[in-house]
Amino acid sequence: MRKIYAVLLIAFLFSSCKNIQKMVDKGEYDKAIFYAAEKLHGKKKKKTKHVKGLEEAFYRVNQRDIDRISYLIAQENPENYDRIYDAYAVILNRQEKISPFLPLVSKDGYMAHFDFIDAGSTMIKYADLATEYHYGRALTSIEAAEAGDKLAARRAFDRLQYTDKYTRHYKNKDELLKRAHDLGKTRVLLQMTNEAPVIMPENFEHHALAMNYAKLNSFWIEYYSDHIGDWPMDYRATLSLEDLDISP
């Protein structure tokens, strides 16, 4: 029984080392990092293969992300600010996953080397750039919305909401959100016509249209039975009454 247990344990450990290298070879670097971190957690005698696997996976994936960031920065396109920020966030998360193990030394004395970058400070920089960019584009879209472009109002709303990812209550963002929402709504006025071969009872139309149509509303579409307020109606929807039965 002990022999069987020993064989299974050796097979499991060999499989662990082999799995890490397979992940690295397949380019699954983050998966390899998290897997190796689990194997190393709480262990005093760390296997050299695990340590080297973690070191290699970290180097490769970080270099890949840094190269991608350099490419995005070189394009000088403000639309890339979000992607640059997200890439640095991934790097920061990866570094924080490894930090608790440092210095990382195997039981054979092998010390792993990890080149950390100051991802946090750079994220702050691109968070500010992205916020300012989305806010500026939102202002431009609201100008178009003021001229009657509802889709521009909805684009402005999305841009303003996106700034919450970086900065809460940026400038007058909350006020502009409400303005963009109002400008982007489609308003529908409901009317009724009697096509039934009977006389419509007095006030029937009023009572029918006074029903709760709020359930029909969506975020960008609202229904009205009366034209009230300063906003013009975008559509008129006619409810045609074709059959009317009256009983006590």
Side-chain angles (χ1 to χ4, degrees), residues 78 81-82 125-135 163 166:
Y81 291 154
D82 298 312
K125 171 188 172 182
Y126 280 97
D128 292 340
L129 288 172
T131 301
E132 185 178 351
Y133 173 67
H134 288 302
Y135 179 83
T163 63
Y166 309 108

Side-chain angles (χ1 to χ4, degrees), residues 15-52:
S15 175
S16 298
C17 299
K18 191 175 180 181
N19 284 340
I20 293 173
Q21 191 57 49
K22 275 186 176 181
M23 293 174 195
V24 172
D25 293 340
K26 290 168 64 176
E28 298 174 341
Y29 304 123
D30 278 316
K31 187 176 179 180
I33 288 171
F34 290 121
Y35 184 81
E38 286 180 4
K39 294 299 175 186
L40 296 171
H41 182 70
K43 292 184 178 179
K44 293 181 179 181
K45 295 183 178 181
K46 298 175 174 59
K47 290 186 175 293
T48 301
K49 287 186 177 182
H50 284 160
V51 173
K52 285 186 174 181

Side-chain angles (χ1 to χ4, degrees), residues 57-242:
F58 179 85
Y59 170 76
R60 290 194 184 188
V61 72
N62 250 29
Q63 193 58 52
R64 183 196 66 189
D65 289 347
I66 290 170
D67 290 343
R68 179 170 177 267
I69 289 171
S70 298
Y71 170 75
L72 292 172
I73 292 174
Q75 288 184 318
E76 297 183 349
N77 182 358
E79 288 287 347
N80 287 336
Y81 291 154
D82 298 312
R83 279 180 275 183
I84 295 171
Y85 175 91
D86 290 340
Y88 275 114
V90 170
I91 292 175
L92 180 63
N93 180 56
R94 186 183 300 129
Q95 292 178 168
E96 289 176 343
K97 186 72 175 177
I98 293 174
S99 291
F101 298 103
L102 301 183
L104 183 58
V105 183
S106 74
K107 64 179 182 178
D108 300 323
Y110 180 83
M111 178 178 287
H113 176 72
F114 300 98
D115 287 323
F116 281 15
I117 63 174
D118 187 5
S121 297
T122 313
M123 285 173 65
I124 294 173
K125 171 188 172 182
Y126 280 97
D128 292 340
L129 288 172
T131 301
E132 185 178 351
Y133 173 67
H134 288 302
Y135 179 83
R137 290 296 302 270
L139 289 178
T140 302
S141 294
I142 285 178
E143 288 182 8
E146 297 280 4
D149 187 346
K150 290 186 179 295
L151 290 179
R154 298 179 186 186
R155 287 194 297 270
F157 188 91
D158 291 339
R159 291 278 186 183
L160 291 166
Q161 273 201 320
Y162 209 81
T163 63
D164 279 343
K165 176 180 178 180
Y166 309 108
T167 308
R168 292 282 183 180
H169 311 298
Y170 181 74
K171 294 184 177 180
N172 61 334
K173 184 216 71 176
D174 295 335
E175 176 186 336
L176 291 176
L177 264 178
K178 184 179 184 308
R179 182 63 178 164
H181 188 210
D182 286 337
L183 289 168
K185 285 180 184 177
T186 297
R187 296 170 176 82
V188 182
L189 180 64
L190 299 174
Q191 296 177 314
M192 180 173 286
T193 60
N194 182 19
E195 304 294 337
V198 294
I199 299 175
M200 187 182 295
E202 187 178 357
N203 293 327
F204 179 83
E205 179 179 1
H206 171 76
H207 288 301
L209 292 177
M211 293 170 61
N212 183 14
Y213 290 102
K215 293 181 180 179
L216 299 176
N217 293 345
S218 65
F219 189 73
W220 290 111
I221 302 177
E222 287 186 350
Y223 294 88
Y224 297 83
S225 58
D226 293 308
H227 187 180
I228 55 176
D230 299 328
W231 293 101
M233 295 294 107
D234 300 294
Y235 296 97
R236 294 178 184 272
T238 301
L239 306 177
S240 179
L241 182 65
E242 299 179 350

